[in-house]
Amino acid sequence: MPIHYDMPLWRPPSEANSFILQATLGCSFNHCSFCSMYRTKHFAVRPLEPVRAEIQTVARAYPDVRRVFLADGDALAAPTEHLLAILDMLHASLPRLERVSSYALPANLLKKSVEELAELREGGLTLLYYGIETGSADLLRRITKGATPEAMVTGLTKARRAELRISATVILGLGGQEHWQEHIDATADLVNRVELDYLSTLQLMLDPTIRDEFHRKFREPFREQDDRALLAEQLRLIERLNPPAPLVFRSNHASNALALAGILPRDRPALLSRLQLALAGGLRLRPEWLRGY
C-alpha cells in the first residue's frame, strides 16, 4: 500500500532523509500570524490503524530507516498513550531506528507533565523542534503566538528535566524596523535562561495569503528590515547569547541571507567576524530568489 500524504506536508530541513509519518494532521493552535503552513487543514489525531499500516509499508520497503519525523505541526497534542503506541510500532518495525523527532508547540510542553515527557523520551522520542520566534512578550502578543516568555521557559525547562533534546528557532526581522532591538535583546535573554541543544535563525518571510493578517494584528505600521538590518540583528543576537551550556548555532535555513555555523560561546568571535565582513560587503549573500521556507 503506497503512502498518500495529506498535503501540504512540512518538515524541518534536518529531516530531509527521514521517514515522515503523519501522526496528526494540521496544527491545533493555527493562529500564529506569521505562519501559513497549516491554514488549509483542520487539526486531527490520526487513528492508530492507518498509522500502523504506513509504518509496515515503509518497513518492508526501507527496513534500514534510521530517522523518523512525526508530522504534522502538532504531534505532541496527541494523548501520551497514543504517541507511546506509535513509538512502540516504530521501534518494533524498524530495527535500525536511531531517532524520532517532532515539532513541539509551547502549549504541548505546558500540558504534558515531566513524567509524560520522560515516558515519551524513554519510548524513543528524543528530539523536539520548538519555535521560540521572539523573547519579547509584546511581540509574542502581536504575532498571536499563544505563549508568553515565562510560559516558554517553564515548558522548555520541563523538557530538559525529561532529558529531551531541543532544537529551537528564532525569527530575524519579526520586530520590524521599530522593535528590532527589543526583539533581539529579549530573545537573547530568554535563550540564556534555558538549556537548548540547537538554536537556528530564520528570516521573516510572509506568505501572501497571510500578509494582511500579520500587518493587521501588529497594530501599527510594520516596516520590514532589509538584509543589512537583518545582519545587524544577527550580530546583536550572537553578541548577547551566553547559554548555560554549549549551544550549536546555525543560520543555514534557506530563508537566511547568510549561512553561519558554530558552537556558542566558543565560536562567537569567528561568527561575529563573518557577520562584520558581510556588513562591510565582503561576503556574497544568498540571492533573494534562492530563499524560501
Side-chain angles (χ1 to χ4, degrees):
M1 179 191 79
I3 295 178
H4 297 288
Y5 286 116
D6 186 301
M7 304 300 286
L9 184 69
W10 300 90
R11 53 143 181 90
S14 58
E15 301 292 340
N17 296 319
S18 300
F19 164 34
I20 311 300
L21 176 65
Q22 286 180 304
T24 58
L25 302 179
C27 171
S28 66
F29 183 65
N30 216 19
H31 292 300
C32 297
S33 65
F34 59 90
C35 178
S36 62
M37 289 168 61
Y38 303 108
R39 294 299 184 91
T40 60
K41 291 188 172 187
H42 295 289
F43 177 75
V45 177
R46 295 186 69 210
L48 288 177
E49 284 314 306
V51 171
R52 186 194 310 276
E54 290 178 5
I55 292 171
Q56 292 172 347
T57 295
V58 169
R60 286 192 295 269
Y62 306 101
D64 293 336
V65 166
R66 295 176 182 270
R67 293 185 175 185
V68 173
F69 176 72
L70 299 180
D72 273 334
D74 202 4
L76 276 190
T80 300
E81 295 77 12
H82 189 91
L83 292 170
L84 288 170
I86 292 174
L87 292 168
D88 285 344
M89 294 177 202
L90 286 168
H91 284 279
S93 302
L94 301 168
R96 302 190 70 181
L97 184 59
E98 297 173 352
R99 185 176 93 181
V100 182
S101 60
S102 77
Y103 288 128
L105 272 62
N108 298 150
L109 299 186
L110 292 177
K111 290 177 181 177
K112 292 197 185 300
S113 67
V114 174
E115 291 73 23
E116 286 179 290
L117 294 172
E119 276 189 276
L120 291 171
R121 191 259 306 156
E122 291 166 5
L125 179 68
T126 54
L127 175 65
L128 301 179
Y129 295 93
Y130 187 98
I132 290 174
E133 327 308 2
T134 180
S136 162
D138 178 56
L139 290 175
L140 287 169
R141 286 191 296 271
R142 290 174 185 264
I143 64 174
T144 327
K145 177 67 179 177
T148 65
E150 289 304 319
M152 288 198 280
V153 169
T154 297
L156 289 167
T157 301
K158 287 170 65 177
R160 176 56 61 188
R161 287 177 59 195
E163 299 182 12
L164 285 160
R165 294 162 62 209
I166 303 291
S167 178
T169 55
V170 299
I171 302 178
L172 301 175
L174 201 56
Q177 295 180 24
E178 282 72 24
H179 301 279
W180 74 271
Q181 291 185 348
E182 170 196 343
H183 167 43
I184 295 302
D185 293 354
T187 299
D189 179 66
L190 192 156
V191 172
N192 290 340
R193 296 173 62 192
V194 293
E195 188 174 334
L196 305 173
D197 296 279
Y198 307 94
L199 181 69
S200 301
T201 59
L202 291 70
Q203 289 185 191
L204 180 66
M205 299 183 72
L206 296 172
D207 187 278
T209 62
I210 60 167
R211 181 176 293 275
D212 288 346
E213 175 189 339
F214 178 89
H215 283 264
R216 184 176 68 254
K217 288 184 174 180
F218 207 78
R219 304 194 306 274
E220 67 184 55
F222 181 85
R223 295 188 295 161
E224 294 186 16
Q225 296 275 61
D226 61 17
D227 280 347
R228 184 173 180 81
L230 291 168
L231 291 174
E233 287 193 20
Q234 185 84 282
L235 188 145
R236 188 180 181 96
L237 178 65
I238 293 173
E239 284 179 334
R240 283 159 173 72
L241 285 176
N242 289 294
L247 175 63
V248 177
F249 180 84
R250 296 283 187 271
S251 69
N252 54 359
H253 187 273
S255 64
N256 289 286
L258 180 68
L260 296 171
I263 297 176
L264 291 173
R266 185 193 71 188
D267 297 327
R268 189 195 320 274
L271 294 171
L272 293 177
S273 177
R274 185 168 173 81
L275 279 162
Q276 288 159 352
L277 183 60
L279 283 165
L283 289 177
R284 183 188 296 273
L285 302 182
R286 178 181 282 129
E288 288 193 17
W289 63 272
L290 283 178
R291 302 181 201 175
Y293 280 135

